[in-house]
């Protein structure tokens, strides 16, 4: 079938329309096209992790150990999970510290500073950086907290013995990663990690109590006693209470601060007990730090300073005493706030703590560590510091050499470009000169040279780690542009008559096929001789079939270009400029939510600009009001920062009121399209809304009173979640009845996942969607494209039976843009979901309070998806009521979203602050997920709107 480009005159207006003959549209090949689209987009999505987030680890290095005797025989590591630097160091209104013992340590006995973490600020990557000395790639977080996706060395592995106490989510990964049987773990049960518990600080009390009983029991166990008195011993205490209380009550709460006080007391008791146990031998070193901080609203994962700034206090054997200073400069103003301006602040990167621990107890530096030994923390001879620094430099250089040799072995010699600042001769020169300085006792010069060598080796590691990035990036970009071009050509060829049917000769087709086959073989051969990973074959070969498909339609491109040149330049430029502006607004909204407000206000004026308001004044007024109301949401603070349960209850009551009004008006009009079974479904949905409202209120009060999550509430929540996907399928398939049923079912679940104003968001969004459907009918009539159908009796179930499809009009591009804009609004309307810390764990407390990262993540994802489903169902209604095949509009939507994705692909970067890097990656992942989601949601929306379970018929059948 071909769509015809025709000029139509309606009411004195000349319109350019795409018309179709009176025959059904082509549907052959749609499943194959969607499957290919899903596959291509999945490759594009996964590629970013291979290009930017591949594992930095290498293996095959030789362990490096400082040759001089260490100052400490044992190390005690306290990690207060989720402890912010300011929460520990700040003073309260009475100028007293929340942690008086630790405050006394940093003022009188040890050194202190801030440890700067990296994104993602989660427990697993934080602990890996602390104990293994390297920054784990982000994809490892998704592979589980308890297992090691890649093998790595750690301080625990290099120690003679390590005993650890704490969370079952952290300790096992270091025990499993260790060689031999010398890392011992003692964990409480996973069920103990309950955000709704009476007192989460009991997790820390458990640790301190078990450490004390462990040492007491060792006095009657000679084997254990002897092991504890060995050198190179590590004692690790993971303290999860502060993190749990921060999630449950926020970091500024009384519970969070009281937990800090309890940890302070526990650290004091453990330090005193250990000094006594070891006879005050002065051979114990202590480190207290945190894996990550926490936002004011109780979340973490992104790069906000409250998440990346963690405390570091070190004291004991081999550690410097406090250093008095008259002035010191830092970009922040914390020193004055904390009243610590006269004590030297020694900031480190989180990975620097691993070499510090290794140096204190004299174990080899972890093989994969990229940390630089912070010498200012050490209280030792200049010779020891120089030797330690030299060991550190050689250890990092070993990684560089292995990485260089790996890349050299998999790259053709004439294509290999070495890292020039560290050529083989330069490496030898650095090492020889450093060793000479140490022999000549020029320790400061030796340390300076070592630091230079470490920095160069780290640059070289990054250079070889990202060696193929440009090559892979160009391959993906080529595939991206080819796919988008192909989709545009499918639209032009299938739905317009802008092109003439040209039968290409067999010779031309064969030449084209052989040409692209030859290119594919050359790429395969090139990758094969370089022993490239199998994923490289996918990324590099993907553009070949895509561009082959494009080049097969070369005549379409030629005809399209000729047709475009024949149009008035002002019209063509105007259309292109408006399209670019629209897509830029969508891209801009990912960075600034307020952009959505501007867009919605423009939408509010759309009927006035197009003169639609003349024929539909009431509908236009409601449209304008709802656009203005929805425009308020992007201006509000991100969800979760300030919980407001009364607003959630108000949203529930408002939903009940609207559904009650709908039921009353339906009964009053004696709606013949409703029967008793339909009424029962409606009543059950109203009951679900009422129960959800009650559960939210009751759960909040129960957790506030520290009584935990009531089992009854939990059962109701999970039942509501399951039923919300089934109930809409029991309702009539008449347009507004089915859409309203979908809203009620999803609203019941959304209320359970809400903590504040966002509970009102689906109501306003759905209201706007209902009016949008009406407005599109008015637009159809306005352009004279179709008669206005009666929406009240429009049935989704029979929409697929339409064989006469109307003209495809240029206005349909505007419809598709509206859909994409509403989808982005559904994503960003109540928060910046591109940032991990926008998620509030309190959202899932009606379902569970025991820590379960994947279950909680799944529920939070569902909360994000619900507004998406509402918009998708409305778009399905727009498609069928405007008599368009779903394929035609969906293809336009696909082009818009793919252009956005390509935009974000070029915005991805691996330089700048960690917040900028993380944001650029998450934006690309988000828009790619959005594109894949839209393909899946297209099918889900059809299922939710057109299918109906015939339970009532079966019931009647048995009754007779």
């Amino acid at each position: 079938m071909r769509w015809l480009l025709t000029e139509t005159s309606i009411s004195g207006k000349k319109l350019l329309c795409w018309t179709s003959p009176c025959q059904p549209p082509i549907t052959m090949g749609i499943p194959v096209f969607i499957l290919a689209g899903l596959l291509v987009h999945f490759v594009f999505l996964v590629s970013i992790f291979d290009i930017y987030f591949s594992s930095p680890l290498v293996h095959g290095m030789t362990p490096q150990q400082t040759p001089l005797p260490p100052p400490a025989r044992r190390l005690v590591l306290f990690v207060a999970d989720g402890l912010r630097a300011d929460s520990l160091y700040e003073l309260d209104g009475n100028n007293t510290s929340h942690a008086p013992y630790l405050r006394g340590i940093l003022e009188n006995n040890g050194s202190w500073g801030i440890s700067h973490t990296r994104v993602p600020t989660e427990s697993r990557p934080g602990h890996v950086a602390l104990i293994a000395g390297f920054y784990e790639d982000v994809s490892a977080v998704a592979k589980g907290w308890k297992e090691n996706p890649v093998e790595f060395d750690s301080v625990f592995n290099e120690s003679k013995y390590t005993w650890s106490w704490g969370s079952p989510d952290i300790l096992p990964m270091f025990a499993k990663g260790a060689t031999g049987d010398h890392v011992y773990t003692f964990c409480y049960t996973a069920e103990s990690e309950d955000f709704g518990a009476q007192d989460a600080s009991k997790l820390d009390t458990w640790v301190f109590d078990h450490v004390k009983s462990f040492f007491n029991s060792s006095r009657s166990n000679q084997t254990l006693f002897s092991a504890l008195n060995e050198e190179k011993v590590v004692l690790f205490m993971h303290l999860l209470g502060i993190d749990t209380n921060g999630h449950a009550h926020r970091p500024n709460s009384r519970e969070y601060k009281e937990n800090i006080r309890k940890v302070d007391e526990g650290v004091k008791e453990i330090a005193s007990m250990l000094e006594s146990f070891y006879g005050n031998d002065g051979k114990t070193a202590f480190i207290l730090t945190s894996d990550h901080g926490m936002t004011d609203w109780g979340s973490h994962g992104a790069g906000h300073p409250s998440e990346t700034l963690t405390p570091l206090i070190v004291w004991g054997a081999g550690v410097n005493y406090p250093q008095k200073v008259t002035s010191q400069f830092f970009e922040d103003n914390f020193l004055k706030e904390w009243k610590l301006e006269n004590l030297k602040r020694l900031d480190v990167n989180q990975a620097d703590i691993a070499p510090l621990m290794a140096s204190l107890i004299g174990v080899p530096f972890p093989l994969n560590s990229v940390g630089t030994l912070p010498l200012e923390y050490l209280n030792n001879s200049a010779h020891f510091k120089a030797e330690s620094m030299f060991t550190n430099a050689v250890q990092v250089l070993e990684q560089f050499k292995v990485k260089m040799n790996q890349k050299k072995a998999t790259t053709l010699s004439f294509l290999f470009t070495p890292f020039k600042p560290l050529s083989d001769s330069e490496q030898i020169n650095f090492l020889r000169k450093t060793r000479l300085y140490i022999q000549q006792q020029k320790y400061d010069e030796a340390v300076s040279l070592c630091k230079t060598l470490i920095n160069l080796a780290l640059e070289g590691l990054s250079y070889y780690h990202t060696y193929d990035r440009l090559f892979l990036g160009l391959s993906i970009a080529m595939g991206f542009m080819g796919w988008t071009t192909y989709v545009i050509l499918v639209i032009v060829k299938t739905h317009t008559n802008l092109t003439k049917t040209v039968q290409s000769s067999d010779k031309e087709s064969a030449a084209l096929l052989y040409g692209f086959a030859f290119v594919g073989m050359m790429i395969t051969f090139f990758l094969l001789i370089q022993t490239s990973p199998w994923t490289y074959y996918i990324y590099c070969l993907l553009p070949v079939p895509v561009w082959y498909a494009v080049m097969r339609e070369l005549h379409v491109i030629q005809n399209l270009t000729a047709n475009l040149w024949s149009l008035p330049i002002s019209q063509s430029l105007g259309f292109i400029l408006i399209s670019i502006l629209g897509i830029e607004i969508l891209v801009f909204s990912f960075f600034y939510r307020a952009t959505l407000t501007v867009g919605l206000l423009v939408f509010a004026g759309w009927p006035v600009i197009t003169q639609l308001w003349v024929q539909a004044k009431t509908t236009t007024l409601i449209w304008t009001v709802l656009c203005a109301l929805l425009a308020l949401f992007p201006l509000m603070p991100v969800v979760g920062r300030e919980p407001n349960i009364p607003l959630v209850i108000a949203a529930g009551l408002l939903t009940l009121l609207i559904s009650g009004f709908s039921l009353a008006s339906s009964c009053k009009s004696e709606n013949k399209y409703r029967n008793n079974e339909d009424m029962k479904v409606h009543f059950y949905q109203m009951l679900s809304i009422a129960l959800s409202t009650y559960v939210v209120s009751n759960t909040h009060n129960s957790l506030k009173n520290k009584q935990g999550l009531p089992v009854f509430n939990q059962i109701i929540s999970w039942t509501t979640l399951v039923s919300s996907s089934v109930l809409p399928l029991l309702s009539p398939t008449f347009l507004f009845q089915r859409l309203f049923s979908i809203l009620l079912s999803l609203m019941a679940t959304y209320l359970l996942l809400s903590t504040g104003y966002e509970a009102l968001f689906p109501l306003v969004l759905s209201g706007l969607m209902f009016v949008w459907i009406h407005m599109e009918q008015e637009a159809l009539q306005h352009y004279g494209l179709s008669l206005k159908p009666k929406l009240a009796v429009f049935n989704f179930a029979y929409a697929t039976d339409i064989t006469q499809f109307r003209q495809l009009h240029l206005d349909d591009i505007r419809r598709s843009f509206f859909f994409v804009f509403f989808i982005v609004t559904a994503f960003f309307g109540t928060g910046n979901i591109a940032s991990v810390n926008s998620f509030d764990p309190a959202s899932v407390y009606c379902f569970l309070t025991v820590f379960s990262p994947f279950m909680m993540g799944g529920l939070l994802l569902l909360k994000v998806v619900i507004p998406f489903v509402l918009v998708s169902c409305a778009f399905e209604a727009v498609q069928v009521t405007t008599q368009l095949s779903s394929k035609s509009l969906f293809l336009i939507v696909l082009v818009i979203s793919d252009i956005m994705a390509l935009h974000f692909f070029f915005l991805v970067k691996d330089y700048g602050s960690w917040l900028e890097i993380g944001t650029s990656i998450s934006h690309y992942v988000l828009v790619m997920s959005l594109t894949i989601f839209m393909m899946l949601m297209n099918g889900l929306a059809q299922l939710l709107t057109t299918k109906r379970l015939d339970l009532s018929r079966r019931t009647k059948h048995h009754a007779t």
Side-chain angles (χ1 to χ4, degrees):
M1 185 190 79
R2 288 288 179 271
W3 291 70
L4 306 174
L5 186 67
T6 59
E7 195 177 71
T8 310
S9 182
I10 298 173
S11 305
K13 299 176 185 176
K14 285 190 176 181
L15 298 172
L16 196 65
C17 303
W18 295 336
T19 61
S20 68
C22 298
Q23 58 194 59
I26 296 172
T27 55
M28 191 180 296
I30 291 177
V32 176
F33 182 83
I34 291 175
L35 189 63
L38 280 171
L39 186 64
V40 167
H41 284 86
F42 180 74
V43 171
F44 291 158
L45 176 60
V46 172
S47 69
I48 208 72
F49 293 99
D50 228 359
I51 296 170
Y52 288 90
F53 285 154
S54 56
S55 175
L57 296 191
V58 288
H59 300 285
M61 291 79 68
T62 308
Q64 302 296 321
Q65 186 174 349
T66 307
L68 300 178
R73 290 177 61 85
R74 66 201 71 89
L75 173 86
V76 184
L77 174 64
F78 301 98
V79 176
D81 203 305
L83 176 60
R84 289 163 47 148
D86 58 345
S87 298
L88 180 66
Y89 294 138
E90 69 185 2
L91 303 175
D92 59 21
N94 301 321
N95 272 344
T96 56
S97 172
H98 302 302
Y101 173 73
L102 290 170
R103 181 78 178 198
I105 289 291
L106 70 88
E107 287 179 348
N108 304 304
N109 302 96
S111 296
W112 75 284
I114 288 178
S115 168
H116 296 263
T117 71
R118 285 191 184 179
V119 175
T121 44
E122 297 289 350
S123 291
R124 181 196 166 93
H127 280 86
V128 169
L130 283 170
I131 299 162
F134 73 93
Y135 301 104
E136 198 168 31
D137 58 290
V138 179
S139 58
V141 182
K143 295 177 184 176
W145 269 251
K146 299 178 184 179
E147 302 294 334
N148 293 331
V150 288
E151 288 188 14
F152 57 83
D153 191 21
S154 70
V155 173
F156 294 176
N157 186 43
E158 296 293 354
S159 68
K160 192 158 192 177
Y161 293 107
T162 292
W163 287 275
S164 55
W165 296 264
S167 167
D169 297 317
I170 296 298
L171 305 189
M173 70 176 176
F174 292 103
K176 290 177 183 177
T179 54
D181 186 22
H182 64 280
V183 178
Y184 304 99
T185 61
F186 303 92
C187 307
Y188 38 74
T189 60
E191 289 71 32
S192 303
E193 300 174 18
D194 189 346
F195 294 148
Q198 289 184 0
D199 185 10
S201 64
K202 67 182 181 182
L203 298 174
D204 301 339
T205 307
W206 184 98
V207 171
F208 293 135
D209 289 346
H210 276 72
V211 173
K212 291 174 196 171
S213 63
F214 175 79
F215 273 86
N216 287 334
S217 66
S218 71
R219 297 183 188 278
S220 56
N221 184 334
Q222 189 57 46
T223 306
L224 178 59
F225 186 82
S226 299
L228 284 169
N229 279 279
E230 292 278 1
E231 59 180 17
K232 301 178 182 178
V233 165
V234 177
L235 304 170
F236 171 44
M237 278 154 261
H238 177 242
L239 309 168
L240 188 62
I242 292 173
D243 184 71
T244 309
N245 268 319
H247 285 311
H249 306 288
R250 310 291 190 268
N252 293 318
S253 64
R254 180 182 56 81
E255 290 84 356
Y256 186 87
K257 292 173 181 176
E258 186 58 36
N259 204 150
I260 293 174
R261 198 176 299 278
K262 287 187 178 180
V263 165
D264 182 66
E265 291 169 1
V267 169
K268 180 181 178 181
E269 291 170 9
I270 295 296
S272 175
M273 183 266 295
L274 289 174
E275 292 293 358
S276 173
F277 182 86
Y278 288 110
N280 294 306
D281 63 354
K283 291 291 183 180
T284 307
F286 298 90
I287 294 179
L288 181 133
T289 187
S290 174
D291 54 348
H292 56 76
M294 189 174 286
T295 60
D296 288 340
W297 52 98
S299 63
H300 53 82
H304 191 273
S306 60
E307 301 165 89
T308 60
L309 303 183
T310 59
L312 175 63
I313 302 176
V314 189
W315 72 101
V319 180
N320 253 335
Y321 285 96
Q323 302 172 54
K324 302 285 183 181
V325 290
T326 52
S327 65
Q328 49 185 330
F329 174 76
F330 287 91
E331 289 183 2
D332 54 61
N333 297 315
F334 292 136
L335 288 171
K336 195 172 182 181
E337 292 175 23
W338 301 336
K339 294 183 168 53
L340 290 170
E341 54 264 58
N342 295 324
L343 288 175
K344 191 168 186 181
R345 170 178 148 185
L346 307 171
D347 283 15
V348 300
N349 291 320
Q350 194 171 45
D352 298 341
I353 296 172
L356 175 63
M357 292 192 287
S359 177
L360 287 170
I361 57 173
V363 299
F365 286 35
L367 293 173
N368 300 112
S369 172
V370 294
T372 303
L373 177 63
L375 291 177
E376 289 181 292
Y377 276 89
L378 296 180
N379 179 18
N380 216 313
S381 65
H383 184 201
F384 179 85
K385 290 180 180 180
E387 286 286 2
S388 297
M389 205 68 199
F390 182 69
T391 304
N392 191 181
V394 172
Q395 171 260 322
V396 177
L397 185 63
E398 280 284 314
Q399 293 180 76
F400 167 81
K401 287 159 73 173
V402 170
K403 194 80 172 176
M404 181 186 71
N405 291 331
Q406 283 181 357
K407 187 50 60 185
K408 204 171 184 179
T410 59
T411 307
L412 294 173
S413 57
F414 67 90
L415 290 175
F416 181 72
T417 309
F419 183 67
K420 291 178 182 176
L422 267 187
S423 60
D424 291 345
S425 58
E426 283 294 325
Q427 293 175 37
I428 295 167
N429 189 40
F430 266 111
L431 296 175
R432 184 185 54 77
K433 198 180 287 186
T434 306
R435 178 48 65 195
L436 186 62
Y437 279 145
I438 292 174
Q439 289 171 357
Q440 294 174 350
Q441 298 186 6
K442 295 179 179 179
Y443 300 125
D444 290 342
E445 289 88 340
V447 166
S448 177
L449 208 57
C450 286
K451 287 181 178 179
T452 303
L453 179 56
I454 289 172
N455 290 333
L456 284 174
L458 291 175
E459 279 180 38
L461 266 174
S462 177
Y463 172 80
Y464 287 119
H465 184 57
T466 60
Y467 192 84
D468 295 327
R469 184 168 294 177
L470 179 63
F471 168 62
L472 293 175
L474 286 173
S475 296
I476 293 297
M478 285 289 291
F480 232 126
M481 289 187 283
W483 170 258
T484 308
T485 306
Y486 178 68
V487 176
I488 293 171
L489 291 177
V490 168
I491 296 170
V492 171
K493 187 180 178 183
T494 312
H495 300 291
T496 75
N497 199 34
L498 294 173
T499 60
K500 298 174 183 176
T501 305
V502 178
Q503 196 70 33
S504 57
S505 66
D506 291 340
K507 281 186 178 180
E508 288 178 0
S509 300
L512 192 65
L513 178 62
Y514 291 143
F516 275 91
F518 177 74
V519 171
M521 288 171 62
M522 289 299 293
I523 292 171
T524 305
F525 179 72
F526 178 73
L527 295 173
L528 198 62
I529 57 176
Q530 294 198 119
T531 60
S532 300
W534 65 270
T535 51
Y536 282 34
Y537 290 84
I538 296 174
Y539 304 145
C540 297
L541 289 173
L542 181 64
V544 177
V546 172
W547 279 103
Y548 171 68
V550 170
M551 293 309 294
R552 282 187 66 186
E553 310 297 341
L554 186 60
H555 66 281
V556 178
I557 300 171
Q558 291 168 345
N559 291 330
L560 178 61
T561 307
N563 275 284
L564 288 175
W565 277 114
S566 66
L567 291 173
I569 295 175
S570 58
Q571 188 178 339
S572 300
L573 285 176
F575 177 75
I576 292 169
L577 285 173
I578 290 171
S579 300
I580 292 171
L581 180 64
I583 290 172
E584 286 304 312
I585 286 172
L586 288 171
V587 170
F588 209 63
S589 67
F590 278 65
F591 298 94
Y592 304 100
R593 289 171 59 221
T595 310
L596 296 171
T597 299
V598 176
L600 286 166
L601 292 177
V602 172
F603 281 13
W606 162 62
V608 178
I609 298 166
T610 57
Q611 299 295 306
L612 271 176
W613 69 277
V614 175
Q615 68 190 56
K617 291 184 175 65
T618 306
T619 310
T620 298
L621 180 63
I622 298 170
W623 166 266
T624 304
V625 170
L626 286 173
C627 278
L629 280 175
L630 195 64
L632 294 174
F633 284 92
L635 297 176
M636 294 182 184
V638 171
V639 164
R641 299 190 181 188
E642 292 297 331
N644 194 331
I645 300 302
L647 266 181
V648 181
I649 296 167
L653 295 176
L654 182 59
T655 309
L656 277 176
L657 185 67
I658 294 169
S659 56
F661 178 76
S662 169
L663 188 64
S665 63
S666 178
C667 293
K668 191 176 180 181
S669 64
E670 297 180 355
N671 193 334
K672 63 182 177 181
Y673 303 110
R674 280 186 181 269
N675 56 37
N676 289 335
E677 296 300 325
D678 298 339
M679 291 294 184
K680 285 178 185 176
V681 172
H682 194 94
F683 274 124
Y684 188 85
Q685 289 179 319
M686 288 181 68
L687 178 64
S688 291
I689 295 287
L691 282 172
S692 294
T693 308
Y694 164 76
V695 166
V696 169
S697 175
N698 184 259
T699 301
H700 176 72
N701 290 332
S702 179
L703 294 177
K704 195 175 180 180
N705 297 327
K706 297 185 179 178
Q707 295 172 346
L709 171 61
V711 177
F712 173 76
N713 292 6
Q714 198 170 14
I715 293 170
I716 292 293
S717 299
W718 285 106
T719 305
T720 302
L721 175 62
V722 173
S723 65
S724 65
S725 59
V726 179
L727 282 175
L729 301 178
L730 299 173
S731 65
T733 52
F734 293 104
L735 191 140
F736 285 116
Q737 289 181 33
R738 175 53 67 94
L739 290 180
F740 192 64
S741 176
I742 292 168
L743 169 63
L744 289 181
S745 289
L746 296 180
M747 192 66 192
T749 302
Y750 199 84
L751 285 169
L752 294 168
L753 292 166
S754 298
T755 59
Y757 74 84
E758 82 271 21
L760 294 165
F761 183 70
L763 281 178
V764 180
L765 182 65
S766 295
L768 186 60
M769 292 300 98
F770 287 138
V771 182
W772 182 35
I773 296 166
H774 279 290
M775 289 298 292
E776 292 299 353
Q777 295 306 307
E778 299 296 342
L780 273 182
Q781 197 176 25
H782 178 71
Y783 289 113
L785 296 172
S786 173
L787 293 174
K788 189 177 174 182
K790 291 182 180 178
L791 293 179
V793 296
F794 190 92
N795 197 321
F796 276 118
Y798 305 124
T800 53
D801 294 340
I802 298 172
T803 56
Q804 177 62 55
F805 282 80
R806 69 157 180 85
Q807 307 161 355
L808 186 62
H809 189 264
L810 287 174
D811 193 46
D812 292 318
I813 297 175
R814 191 264 314 152
R815 277 188 187 88
S816 302
F817 177 78
F818 270 32
F819 171 60
V820 178
F821 189 92
F822 286 137
I823 284 291
V824 174
T825 304
F827 267 122
F828 290 109
T830 58
N832 178 15
I833 73 159
S835 178
V836 182
N837 69 18
S838 290
F839 294 124
D840 181 12
S843 297
V844 303
Y845 287 172
C846 290
F847 294 89
L848 75 165
T849 53
V850 175
F851 180 66
S852 176
F854 295 111
M855 185 71 76
M856 288 178 165
L859 288 168
L860 291 169
L861 182 62
L862 175 65
K863 183 179 179 180
V864 170
V865 166
I866 284 173
F868 197 158
V869 175
L870 294 173
V871 175
S872 296
C873 290
F875 188 58
E876 178 68 19
V878 166
Q879 288 181 108
V880 296
T881 56
T882 54
Q883 296 179 329
L884 275 174
S885 67
S886 59
K887 181 186 174 186
S888 56
L889 275 189
F890 180 72
L891 286 177
I892 300 171
V893 167
L894 197 60
V895 170
I896 294 170
S897 56
D898 277 346
I899 293 172
M900 286 173 62
L902 187 60
H903 201 120
F904 282 115
F905 182 81
F906 289 118
L907 287 177
V908 169
K909 56 184 179 180
D910 62 342
Y911 57 88
S913 73
W914 280 100
L915 179 58
E916 291 170 336
I917 295 168
T919 302
S920 71
I921 296 287
S922 59
H923 281 164
Y924 175 76
V925 171
L926 186 61
V927 79
M928 284 307 303
S929 304
L930 184 146
T931 308
I932 294 170
F933 257 18
M934 281 195 287
M935 292 182 179
L936 299 173
M937 285 295 163
N938 192 37
L940 179 62
Q942 286 185 15
L943 174 72
L944 284 174
T945 54
T946 59
K947 302 300 178 186
R948 186 174 187 187
L949 297 176
D950 297 326
L951 299 180
S952 58
R953 290 182 186 176
R954 291 195 185 97
T955 306
K956 288 178 183 177
H957 175 74
H958 289 300
T960 56

